[in-house]
Structure formats: C-alpha cells, structure tokens
Amino acid sequence: MSNIAVVYHSGYGHTAKVAQAVAEGAKADLIAIDAEGNITDAEWSKLDAARAIIFGSPTYMGTVSWQFKKFADTSSKRWFASEWQDKIAAGFTNSHSASGDKLSTLTYMMVFSMQHGMIWTGQTERGPDPTGTDVAKSTDINRVGSFSGLMTQANNESPEVSPPSGDIETAKLFGKRIAEITGKFKP
Amino acid sequence: MSNIAVVYHSGYGHTAKVAQAVAEGAKADLIAIDAEGNITDAEWSKLDAARAIIFGSPTYMGTVSWQFKKFADTSSKRWFASEWQDKIAAGFTNSHSASGDKLSTLTYMMVFSMQHGMIWTGQTERGPDPTGTDVAKSTDINRVGSFSGLMTQANNESPEVSPPSGDIETAKLFGKRIAEITGKFKP
Amino acid sequence: MSNIAVVYHSGYGHTAKVAQAVAEGAKADLIAIDAEGNITDAEWSKLDAARAIIFGSPTYMGTVSWQFKKFADTSSKRWFASEWQDKIAAGFTNSHSASGDKLSTLTYMMVFSMQHGMIWTGQTERGPDPTGTDVAKSTDINRVGSFSGLMTQANNESPEVSPPSGDIETAKLFGKRIAEITGKFKP
Amino acid sequence: MSNIAVVYHSGYGHTAKVAQAVAEGAKADLIAIDAEGNITDAEWSKLDAARAIIFGSPTYMGTVSWQFKKFADTSSKRWFASEWQDKIAAGFTNSHSASGDKLSTLTYMMVFSMQHGMIWTGQTERGPDPTGTDVAKSTDINRVGSFSGLMTQANNESPEVSPPSGDIETAKLFGKRIAEITGKFKP
C-alpha cells in the first residue's frame, strides 16, 4: 500500500483517465468517489493513513462536482479533530474548455485543504511558448498554463481520445512531483 | 407570485432563518433545497420565470454545501440553452465564525452566476466602526464587513437565538436592495 | 462623450489592443493607466460620470498588475462615499497562457467592483467545441472558455500579431454586450 | 540570520505590528516593503536564501496593497528561473472589518506562491466558540476564524491599541507553526 492516495470523482471517465495517470506518476492508490458521493470505510481508512492526498474532480458549473463536495462535507468528521493536519495535499481538475472555471476548482481545493491544516503543493511544469498566431498543441506539457494544481481539457469525446496525450503526460509528471515533495517532508 | 426567488439550502436552520429575512426584505418567494439536494419541478419553473434569483447556502468545508452544489449542477440543463441569462443574481451564506471561508462561498456563487450569464449584485450596507479594542456588536448592521454578498454568523445555538438580530436586520436590508436593483433593470 | 468607460493598464501593448476592441464594441471612452499607476483628474471625472466602467489589466504573477492595483487603491476615495454605487462593471484580462491565472484576475475585479457596490456583468459568448484531439483555433470566439469576464491569450509576439483575430472579435462582442446591459439598467 | 523571512507592506502600522509578532513566533528576519513598493538588493538576496517566506499585506480594495503587488511583480525575475521553487510559503493580512475581503488576499497569496512553485502552509489554531448571542472577544485566538493563513482585524486606532492582544498572540502562534513545518521539510 502506498502512502499517497488519489481520491477523485469522475462523471464521464475523463477525470478518471487523468486520475490514473496521476496515480501512476505518484505510485499512489486510487480511490473513486461514486455517483452518490460516497467512498467505503476502508477507503476512508486509507486516506487517514496516507501521508499525501491528491484530490481530483471535474469542474462542473464553476467548481468541483456535487459528489466531490459531498465527500468534502463528509470529511468534516476528520476536520473536527484535525486528523488530516500536516498531510501533503494537491489537486487536479478537467473541463471542456481550456480555461473554463478550472482555477475556481483548484482554489476551492486549496481552501478545503487549508481547513484540514494540510500543506499544499502545485504544478511546476512550465507551459508551452507558441510563436506567431500558433496555439498550444494537444501534445504540449501543461498546455493550458496552470500553477495551483493540474488542469486538463477534454473534448466531448471518449476518454480514450480526450484529454489528449500532452495532458496525460503532464498528469504523470504532476504525480511524480507530489511524490517527491512528500518524500522530503518528515511528519 | 413574486418575480424574485430565494433558493437556499440549510443544514441546521440558521441559513433558513436568514433566507426568510432576505425574502421578507425582497418580497420574494422562498424555495428550500432539500436534504438530498433537490427542489420540485414547480420550483424549477418558478426560478425559470423569476427576474432575480438570490442564492443561499451555509459555508461547509470551504464553500457551499453539497446539496446546494447538487442544485447548481442540476441547473446545467438551463445553462445549455442560456435560459437564465440576464437574470439578476445575488447570494448569502452563514457559518460558525466571523470570517471563516464565507468569501469562498460568495465568490463561488458569483462564478456560478456568471456561467449562467446572470448579473451580480452585492451588499451595500456599510459595516460598523468600533473604537479602542471594542469588537463589532451582535446588533450591528453588516457586522462582519461583507461586500460581495450577505454574510451572517451563527453560534452553536438554536436558530431562535443565532444568528443574532443585527444579522437578521442586515438580511432584510439586503433583500430590499436586491429588489430595488431588480426594479431598475428592464429585461 | 460616451456613458461607458474602459479603464485599463497594459504593459507591452497586448492588453491595450484588447481594450481598443472592447471600447469599439461598447462605443466607450478609453482611459489608459500609465506606467506609474496613474490617470488624470479629468479621467477620474469621466469615470465618476460614467454609467458603466469596464476594467482591464494583464494577469501578472497571479492577478492584476501593480499599476492597475494602484488605480484600484486610489479609487478608495470614491469608495468612502459610495460614489460608484450602482454603476455597471465588467472586466477583461490577457496573459501568455490559455488559462494561466486569468480567473484570479477576473475574480479580483468582481470583488473590487462589489466593494464599490457596482453591478457585475460577464461574458456570454459560448466557447468552441472541437472534436477528436483538436484544440480551439486562434480564430474561435471565446476560445479559452471564460464566463466571469473576457479572457484573451497572447504569445510573446508584437500586439499586431497576438492576441489573434478570434480574441479581438470576442472583445468587440464583449463590449457590445456590456453596452446592451447598461442600456437596460435605469439608474 | 534566520532561514525564514517575513516580507510585508504596512500602510498605517497595523500590519507591521502583526508582522513583528509573526517574526517573533517564527524567529524570522523582517523585511518591510517601502511606500513605493521596493525592497533593497540585500533584502532580495535574503529572500533568495530563505527556506521559508511569509508574506504580509493589508487588504485594500479587495486584495493586497499595490505596494505588495509591485513586490510580487518584481519577483517575476525569480519566477522565470523557478528560483523560489520548493520554498515554504505562508501569508497574513489585516483589515478594518472582521471578514472584509481578507480571504481574497490570502487566496491571492496562495495563487502567487503556486506561480513560484512554493509549498503553502496555513493557519491551524482553532477559533473561538461563543455561546448565546455572544461574539468572539478581542482576546480570543483566531477570533475571525481563518484557515488559509493569518487574519487580523484593526480598528481605526493607533497600532499600539489595535489589532488587539488576541490577534497578536495568534500571530506569534502562526509564526511558530510555520517554523515547525519548515523544520520538517528537507529541501
């Protein structure tokens, strides 16, 4: 069992695909929040034992999905006794447009992590630098240019196609980064 | 039927008490989101017909409750066809501490309203100006000093006691303000 | 003289180019904040007389430039007497990456406008819907997918080249939208 | 020389008073941003060498003062080469009202720190729990209830009087906390 957990909600499979890449990069355990906003008691225990938790959610109507929020509200039991204090935290989100309101989601995840007294780490891969009137390519690393966490973008296509390869590679690098930071922090 | 609707979720009755005061000030219809995050079809129709919608939620774990978020996610059906565009929007939130993360909740409500193409109006009552080492009193108007919307604060007491009279009076003035702005806007 | 003013800071000319397009769409007067964060007394008077103010700034290090912030801090003289209350407000920002932290800038502009008791209007053009692994094109309207205000993206190129045509067209439509909303509001 | 630095701007002395208490708690060096938004080259070097940087600013017109923002913009030279990556970061802010828009300031400081690839730590002291219609007292720890960083509140009084003793004690505990976290992180 890893000491890092990725806990995420995915509505249509795009965020799940990103979560898998993040978990691969971080060598983390994956926990999926279900369609009713629940995880099992064993999964709560895994989060309690983890030294780092990486949060993932689509951006729906301006912030995390209601299922992710239900998970966050349920975590208030841990909040009362500061049980997650000093854990490393990080976050990622996917949506249909390049910017959308994904920063609203990441900002919320930071505020949520601060309620728990966690320690937040972001995204450190530099974005692309296109020339002329070119735009960032689907193979670029950190192509939307995010700092507070990982942002990916998916078209209305199957998760097999979208988010594209650049985003998936960015997700692996992001997971790797969080694992490195976790390793440097002695609780 | 009023052309203004207050739609809110309340977990323990404090936000409901504020919602009633806002609705009284705005002469608005009250719609309560239930414990499962739902409202009725008739209530959705009322929102569709309203010229102004005032959103209310407690601040739980850093933003709106999951029940409010489920309501927001369900409103995506209206979002696809821009059905709520140009409606007046405003928001309020209650939490246990003076500041807490209530601004995170109001900021989210603004971002959510902008997704719908609504027009956001805030809180214009000036806060108190205590002297020496005095603190704002429970009878003061806008005692926590909020601008983006209405903020109230409740102790762990029955809604009959808390939030206190100053907050309830502020809520009435806030509702009145939203009604005035709505009256000035010709759709 | 128009009853709408665009007041903006631009560091390298990209935001100035966007400001001109917004002003063209809104038939607004243009006011440039200088390199020291100042505007003239006559320009302050123009803002005082306007029925709508559209704010513009690059996103530097996570929010508005310091020059824009100096303008905002100087506006506190108007704030004390609520002189800008009930004016229509809107905002735009440009940065080097698709998302970057542009939403942080727009969120700040909303919070700032709410301090003044202004009424905030956002961006209502729908973004593009690419298929397969395609990305939004430089000619698309609202290609980064923004709601709370106007977002544009510029490469490290001359303002003659970047932001590209889609962003400039979006800026004109944004200005037009703010003018329409202003026309519907009777102060 | 400490490996922790507190860098802050203060307009009227209230934030300076808080900065001194934070620095005392963290055994940190104090760096004051001047009225033109500048610090000396030697002070930049001290920040470059620090393992943790604690940012401080009043909340003016909805976020950090323009002088703090000028400092942040100037730090972009460090940003280009990721020179501050993996430093510990934290922040504090003071304003005239209990809530005000202080969370906007702290959220900005988080976004700013994430641009630099820093690691953010918040406030972990629990707030007060008044009963009946009582309000938090000026001697309470974390009396406004902040999580993302330190919030203090000052009346329009001399810094000798305000912010009051509870806020100053909270500032010392906050500094101590940041020092402890810094000690646990091996760069």
Side-chain angles (χ1 to χ4, degrees):
Chain A
M1 193 176 109
S2 172
N3 62 7
I4 304 179
V6 172
V7 59
Y8 72 98
H9 173 252
S10 181
Y12 301 95
H14 303 99
T15 304
K17 184 186 175 188
V18 178
Q20 286 155 14
V22 171
E24 182 184 327
K27 300 191 196 311
D29 292 326
L30 261 183
I31 299 174
I33 299 166
D34 72 17
E36 293 304 311
N38 298 319
I39 62 173
T40 67
D41 287 349
E43 288 167 334
W44 280 110
S45 298
K46 190 176 283 189
L47 292 177
D48 293 342
R51 280 180 45 206
I53 304 178
I54 307 174
F55 302 107
S57 171
T59 296
Y60 287 164
M61 298 310 296
T63 190
V64 295
S65 65
W66 72 260
Q67 290 92 345
F68 184 93
K69 187 68 206 329
K70 188 174 170 189
F71 158 77
D73 286 4
T74 309
S75 80
S76 62
K77 288 170 193 160
R78 271 75 186 167
W79 175 87
F80 277 109
S82 303
E83 291 178 35
W84 286 5
Q85 188 173 313
D86 293 356
K87 290 185 194 296
I88 300 291
F92 61 94
T93 187
N94 179 76
S95 75
H96 177 259
S97 49
S99 179
D101 287 324
K102 284 197 280 279
L103 184 58
S104 168
T105 298
L106 293 182
T107 301
Y108 168 64
M109 288 178 175
M110 289 197 282
V111 165
F112 168 62
S113 297
M114 288 306 116
Q115 289 224 354
H116 276 296
M118 300 172 85
I119 297 164
W120 185 266
T121 55
Q123 154 77 282
T124 50
E125 299 296 326
R126 287 303 169 109
D129 191 17
T131 54
T133 57
D134 284 356
V135 296
K137 296 187 295 295
S138 64
T139 50
D140 284 334
I141 296 297
N142 192 12
R143 70 188 165 106
V144 302
S146 177
F147 299 95
S148 295
L150 171 69
M151 291 184 186
T152 60
Q153 180 270 327
N155 294 343
N156 282 327
E157 302 281 357
S158 152
E160 300 208 1
V161 173
S162 192
S165 60
D167 288 13
I168 300 306
E169 191 57 35
T170 307
K172 290 178 190 169
L173 293 167
F174 181 68
K176 191 158 171 284
R177 153 93 180 155
I178 307 306
E180 285 167 357
I181 293 296
T182 304
K184 289 178 179 173
F185 188 71
K186 304 302 168 200
Chain B
M1 192 175 108
S2 173
N3 62 6
I4 304 178
V6 172
V7 59
Y8 72 97
H9 173 251
S10 182
Y12 301 95
H14 303 99
T15 304
K17 184 185 175 188
V18 177
Q20 286 155 12
V22 171
E24 181 184 328
K27 300 191 197 309
D29 292 326
L30 261 183
I31 299 174
I33 299 167
D34 72 19
E36 292 304 310
N38 298 319
I39 62 174
T40 67
D41 287 349
E43 288 166 334
W44 280 109
S45 298
K46 190 176 282 189
L47 292 177
D48 293 342
R51 281 182 43 207
I53 304 179
I54 307 174
F55 303 107
S57 172
T59 296
Y60 288 164
M61 298 309 296
T63 190
V64 294
S65 66
W66 73 261
Q67 290 92 344
F68 184 91
K69 187 67 207 330
K70 188 174 171 188
F71 158 77
D73 286 3
T74 308
S75 80
S76 63
K77 287 170 194 160
R78 272 74 186 168
W79 175 86
F80 277 109
S82 303
E83 292 178 35
W84 287 5
Q85 189 172 312
D86 292 357
K87 290 184 192 296
I88 300 290
F92 60 94
T93 187
N94 178 75
S95 75
H96 177 259
S97 50
S99 178
D101 287 323
K102 284 196 282 276
L103 184 58
S104 168
T105 298
L106 294 182
T107 301
Y108 168 63
M109 288 177 175
M110 289 198 281
V111 165
F112 167 62
S113 298
M114 289 306 117
Q115 288 224 354
H116 276 296
M118 300 171 85
I119 297 163
W120 185 266
T121 54
Q123 155 78 279
T124 49
E125 298 297 325
R126 288 301 169 112
D129 190 18
T131 54
T133 57
D134 284 356
V135 295
K137 296 186 295 294
S138 64
T139 50
D140 283 335
I141 296 298
N142 192 13
R143 70 189 165 106
V144 301
S146 177
F147 301 95
S148 295
L150 171 69
M151 292 185 185
T152 59
Q153 180 270 327
N155 294 342
N156 282 326
E157 302 280 357
S158 153
E160 300 208 2
V161 173
S162 193
S165 60
D167 288 13
I168 299 307
E169 191 56 36
T170 307
K172 290 178 190 170
L173 292 167
F174 181 68
K176 191 157 172 285
R177 152 94 180 154
I178 306 307
E180 285 167 358
I181 293 296
T182 304
K184 288 177 180 174
F185 188 71
K186 303 302 167 201
Chain C
M1 192 175 108
S2 173
N3 62 6
I4 305 179
V6 173
V7 59
Y8 72 97
H9 173 251
S10 181
Y12 301 94
H14 303 99
T15 304
K17 184 185 174 189
V18 177
Q20 285 154 13
V22 171
E24 182 185 327
K27 299 191 198 310
D29 292 326
L30 261 182
I31 299 174
I33 299 167
D34 71 19
E36 293 304 310
N38 298 318
I39 63 173
T40 67
D41 286 349
E43 289 167 333
W44 280 110
S45 297
K46 191 176 281 189
L47 292 177
D48 292 343
R51 280 180 46 207
I53 303 178
I54 307 175
F55 303 107
S57 172
T59 296
Y60 287 165
M61 298 309 296
T63 190
V64 294
S65 66
W66 73 261
Q67 289 91 344
F68 185 92
K69 187 67 207 330
K70 188 174 170 189
F71 158 76
D73 286 4
T74 309
S75 80
S76 62
K77 288 169 194 161
R78 272 74 186 167
W79 175 85
F80 277 108
S82 304
E83 292 178 36
W84 286 5
Q85 188 173 312
D86 293 356
K87 291 184 194 295
I88 300 291
F92 61 93
T93 187
N94 178 76
S95 75
H96 177 259
S97 50
S99 178
D101 287 324
K102 284 196 283 276
L103 184 58
S104 168
T105 298
L106 294 182
T107 301
Y108 168 64
M109 288 177 176
M110 289 197 282
V111 165
F112 167 63
S113 297
M114 289 306 118
Q115 288 223 355
H116 276 297
M118 300 171 85
I119 297 163
W120 186 266
T121 54
Q123 154 78 279
T124 50
E125 299 297 325
R126 288 301 168 113
D129 191 17
T131 54
T133 57
D134 284 354
V135 296
K137 295 187 296 295
S138 63
T139 51
D140 283 335
I141 296 297
N142 192 13
R143 69 188 165 106
V144 301
S146 177
F147 300 95
S148 295
L150 171 69
M151 292 185 187
T152 59
Q153 181 270 327
N155 295 342
N156 282 327
E157 301 281 358
S158 152
E160 300 208 2
V161 174
S162 192
S165 60
D167 288 13
I168 300 306
E169 190 57 36
T170 307
K172 289 178 190 169
L173 292 167
F174 181 69
K176 192 160 172 284
R177 153 92 180 155
I178 306 308
E180 285 167 358
I181 293 296
T182 304
K184 288 178 179 174
F185 188 72
K186 303 303 168 201
Chain D
M1 193 175 109
S2 173
N3 62 7
I4 304 178
V6 173
V7 59
Y8 71 97
H9 174 252
S10 181
Y12 301 95
H14 303 99
T15 303
K17 184 185 175 189
V18 178
Q20 286 155 12
V22 171
E24 181 184 328
K27 301 191 197 309
D29 292 326
L30 261 183
I31 298 174
I33 299 166
D34 72 18
E36 292 304 311
N38 298 318
I39 62 173
T40 67
D41 287 348
E43 288 166 333
W44 280 110
S45 298
K46 191 176 281 189
L47 292 177
D48 292 342
R51 281 181 45 207
I53 303 178
I54 307 174
F55 302 107
S57 172
T59 295
Y60 287 164
M61 298 310 296
T63 189
V64 294
S65 66
W66 72 261
Q67 290 92 343
F68 185 92
K69 187 66 205 333
K70 188 175 171 188
F71 158 77
D73 286 4
T74 309
S75 80
S76 62
K77 288 170 193 161
R78 273 75 185 165
W79 175 86
F80 277 109
S82 303
E83 291 178 36
W84 286 5
Q85 188 172 312
D86 292 358
K87 291 185 194 294
I88 300 291
F92 61 93
T93 188
N94 178 77
S95 75
H96 178 258
S97 51
S99 179
D101 287 323
K102 284 197 282 275
L103 184 58
S104 169
T105 298
L106 294 182
T107 301
Y108 168 63
M109 288 178 176
M110 290 198 281
V111 165
F112 168 62
S113 297
M114 289 306 117
Q115 289 224 355
H116 276 297
M118 300 172 85
I119 297 164
W120 185 267
T121 54
Q123 153 78 278
T124 50
E125 300 296 325
R126 290 301 170 111
D129 191 18
T131 54
T133 57
D134 284 355
V135 296
K137 295 186 296 294
S138 64
T139 50
D140 284 334
I141 296 297
N142 192 12
R143 69 189 166 104
V144 301
S146 177
F147 300 96
S148 295
L150 171 69
M151 291 184 187
T152 59
Q153 182 269 326
N155 294 342
N156 282 327
E157 301 282 356
S158 153
E160 301 207 1
V161 173
S162 192
S165 60
D167 288 13
I168 299 306
E169 190 57 36
T170 307
K172 290 178 189 170
L173 293 167
F174 181 68
K176 191 159 172 285
R177 153 93 181 155
I178 306 307
E180 286 167 358
I181 293 296
T182 303
K184 288 177 180 174
F185 187 71
K186 303 303 168 198

